[in-house]
Amino acid sequence: MDDKYKFIDFLGLRFNVANDLSALVAAILVFILVFSLSRKITMKPGKAQNVLEWMIDFTDSIVKSAFPDGSGSRFSLYAFVLFLFIFVSNQLGLIFQIKVDGFTYIKSPTTNPIVTMSLALVSLMLAHYYSVKKFGFGTYLSNYARPVSFLLPINLLEEFTNFLTLSLRLYGNIFAGEVLLALIGTVAKSFGLVSFVIAIPVEMIWQGFSVFIGAIQAYVFTTLSMVYISRKMEKE
Amino acid sequence: MASLLVLGAGKLALGDMLFILISFILLSLAVKHYAWGPVTKMMDARSEKISGDLDYADQERARADKLGKEREEALKNSRAEAIEIVNKAKDNGDSQKKAIVADAHSEAETVRTRAKQDAEKAKQDAMQDAQNDIANLSLEIASRVISKELNADDQKSLIDSYIKELTVNNETK
C-alpha cells in the first residue's frame, strides 16, 4: 500500500514508529488481558480464571502435540505469549488504525515483514539454541548431514525456507487482509452514499473473515514454531 | 515496502527487530510474573489435590469396606451370643423347675408322713382314752354290782362272765 511511515534514527538504528507503537500497544493489550484475567487465582476457578486456564490449556496442547514425550513444558510460556501476541496483533488493525497527516501510527504490527521476521527469528533462534544445548555444538553441526550426507545442502536451505515461510506466511495473510479492508474503504468513498451503504456489509464480512484468518495464523505460527523447535531437538 | 527489506540501501529497520524483541521479552516476563506463574502453579496444585483426593477416597472406601465387614461379623457373633444366652436361660429355667418340683414333692412327702404319724398318734391316744374309760366304767359297774345283793350262784356266774369279758377285752387289745 501507499502508507507512509515516520522513521526515527537512534544510535544508528532505524525505528519505524508505526511498527513499534503498534507492537507496544499489542503487548500492552495482551498484558492487560492476562492481568485482568488473573486477579483472583483460587483453587475453584472463577469465570476469568477459567478463561485464562482455557487459553493456557489450548497453547499447552499445541506444545504437547509437537513434543509428545512431554519435554516441551519449558516452551509452554513462550507458546502462550507468542500465540496471544500474534493474535492480538492480527486483530489490532481490524479494530482501529490511526493515521495522522498521512502517516500511519497504529495498525496491525504483523502487516510488516520486519515484525513477523523478528518473531520467526526468535522461534528459530530458540530452536538452534536448544539444539546446541542438548547435543553439543559438534553433534548440532553434524545433524545437518543426517540422515545421509548428501542432504546437507537441502538441510541448510531448509533453515532459510523455514524462516522465510514462517514469517512471510503470517505477514502475507494479515497484510492482504488489511489491504483488502483498505480497498473496500476506498470503494465506500468513491460514489458517495450509495457505495458507502453497499460497502458496509462487505467490509463487515471481510472483517469477520479477517478475525478468523488472524486466529488461524496465530495458531499456525505457534504450532510451526513448536514443530521447528522440536525437530531441532531430535536426531534423525 | 520492498525498500524495507533491501540491505545496504540506506538502513534496515533493525531498530524494529530490537524493539519487538525487547518488548516481547518484557511481555513474557510480565505475563509470567502476573498471570502465568500463579495460574500454572494453581493448576498444578489443583491436579495434585485431585489426585490426592482420589487416593484419599480410595483409602476411605477400603476402610469403610473393612468396617462394614467387621460390623457384619460382630452382628453375626452377637446373634450367636444371644442364642446361647437364651439357651442358657432355658436350661436354667428347666433345672430350676425340676428343683422346685422335687422340693414340692419332698415337702408333700414329709407333710403326708407327718399327717400319718399324727393320725396314728391320735388313734393311740383315742385307744388309751377308751381303755381308761372302759376301766372306769368297769370299776363303776363293779361297784354297782357289788352294792347289789347276790346269791352264791348268781355271784359265781357273774364273776365268770366278767372275767371272760375281761379276757376277751385283753385279747383284742
Side-chain angles (χ1 to χ4, degrees), chain A residues 161-226:
Chain A
T161 54
N162 280 350
F163 169 65
L164 284 175
T165 53
L166 187 60
S167 57
L168 294 183
R169 177 187 302 109
L170 177 60
Y171 155 69
N173 273 287
I174 307 306
F175 180 66
E178 301 218 338
V179 165
L180 199 54
L181 274 184
L183 274 177
I184 295 169
T186 323
V187 167
K189 285 183 279 186
S190 54
F191 294 107
L193 193 62
V194 180
S195 60
F196 190 79
V197 171
I198 293 171
I200 279 185
V202 180
E203 184 92 339
M204 280 167 61
I205 290 168
W206 186 250
Q207 268 180 330
F209 191 57
S210 290
V211 169
F212 176 66
I213 286 180
I216 291 287
Q217 286 307 317
Y219 174 72
V220 166
F221 194 98
T222 312
T223 306
L224 284 178
S225 293
M226 289 303 130

Side-chain angles (χ1 to χ4, degrees), chain B residues 17 26 79 107:
Chain B
M17 287 195 159
L26 286 180
R79 198 168 291 156
E107 212 165 308

Side-chain angles (χ1 to χ4, degrees), chain A residues 99-175:
Chain A
K99 281 189 191 178
V100 180
D101 294 335
F103 289 105
T104 305
Y105 286 100
I106 302 279
K107 58 178 181 87
S108 282
T110 39
T111 54
N112 191 298
I114 291 290
V115 177
T116 59
M117 280 176 176
S118 306
L119 293 170
L121 213 55
V122 172
S123 287
L124 294 173
M125 283 298 179
L126 278 176
H128 289 278
Y129 171 76
Y130 278 103
S131 182
V132 173
K133 194 179 173 190
K134 184 175 179 185
F135 295 120
F137 196 64
T139 320
Y140 161 76
L141 285 182
S142 68
N143 272 349
Y144 284 105
R146 278 177 222 280
V148 272
S149 56
F150 67 82
L151 285 176
L152 176 66
I154 293 175
N155 283 335
L156 283 174
L157 194 63
E158 196 190 15
E159 295 306 319
F160 293 99
T161 54
N162 280 350
F163 169 65
L164 284 175
T165 53
L166 187 60
S167 57
L168 294 183
R169 177 187 302 109
L170 177 60
Y171 155 69
N173 273 287
I174 307 306
F175 180 66

